Amino acid sequence: MDDVVIRASRPDDMPAVADLRWRWSVDEGGRSPAQTPEEYRRAMTEFAARHRESHRCVVAERDGVVLGMAWLAVHPRPPAPNVDGDRFAAELQTVYVHPELRGSGVAGRLVTALLEVADELGAERTSVHSSVDGERLYRRLGFGDARLLLQRPPED
């Protein structure tokens, strides 16, 4: 879609980003909200302001309307004796595209934009916890299985 612009988010995008996440979780996902839409917009805006260094957001915009988003969390790693300088790992988070843009390549463009950010920052690796629907996209963009990357869910 040539009329869709992928760009770094701005603080004034956060209410629209929150609305996309609401749509994904509540409207499409059927999850029960723990707050009102207005409270959630405020929380998203505050989160983005507090975490400018650790979280980057890109948006897909068409005709001034934000219709997609993706986040990159950047995690510092302890120094290593064989590396000169800071070490980082990155994680893709919260990749979502409005249903009217799905299948048009917008999600791939969002993810590619964040992979470029991760590379510019010198991330040692970028990971993603994919949905079943997103797996093909991530594999196409170079993600693969990591045999020793394990995760532990929280205890009940």
Side-chain angles (χ1 to χ4, degrees):
M1 301 204 104
D2 292 339
D3 59 341
V4 175
V5 174
I6 307 299
R7 62 170 176 77
S9 68
R10 299 183 296 253
D12 62 335
D13 292 322
M14 287 304 114
V17 166
D19 289 346
L20 288 173
R21 182 66 168 132
W22 185 278
R23 178 186 181 103
W24 176 14
S25 296
V26 177
D27 299 341
E28 293 176 19
R31 294 183 181 97
S32 297
Q35 53 198 313
T36 67
E38 294 78 21
E39 290 168 333
Y40 184 63
R41 286 183 199 108
R42 187 170 40 258
M44 182 66 81
T45 300
E46 291 170 2
F47 174 87
R50 280 194 323 271
H51 298 283
R52 283 188 187 133
E53 293 302 313
S54 64
H55 287 72
R56 310 300 201 290
C57 179
V58 294
V59 297
E61 179 184 74
R62 184 175 66 193
D63 298 327
V65 179
V66 173
L67 295 170
M69 65 173 171
W71 289 80
L72 183 75
V74 179
H75 309 285
R77 301 194 68 214
N82 62 319
V83 176
D84 185 23
D86 293 334
R87 299 174 61 216
F88 298 93
E91 177 188 10
L92 287 171
Q93 301 177 339
T94 317
V95 178
Y96 177 83
V97 174
H98 191 280
E100 72 183 58
L101 293 182
R102 289 185 190 152
S104 67
V106 171
R109 291 173 57 202
L110 287 165
V111 171
T112 298
L114 287 179
L115 291 175
E116 289 171 2
V117 171
D119 290 345
E120 288 170 12
L121 293 173
E124 292 180 359
R125 70 173 169 267
T126 302
S127 60
V128 64
H129 183 173
S130 179
S131 66
V132 172
D133 293 337
E135 181 181 11
R136 204 169 73 231
L137 165 69
Y138 297 119
R139 289 191 183 279
R140 189 171 62 244
L141 293 174
F143 286 84
D145 298 317
R147 190 175 71 78
L148 295 177
L149 183 59
L150 309 174
Q151 72 176 15
R152 177 187 175 270
E155 292 183 12
D156 290 332

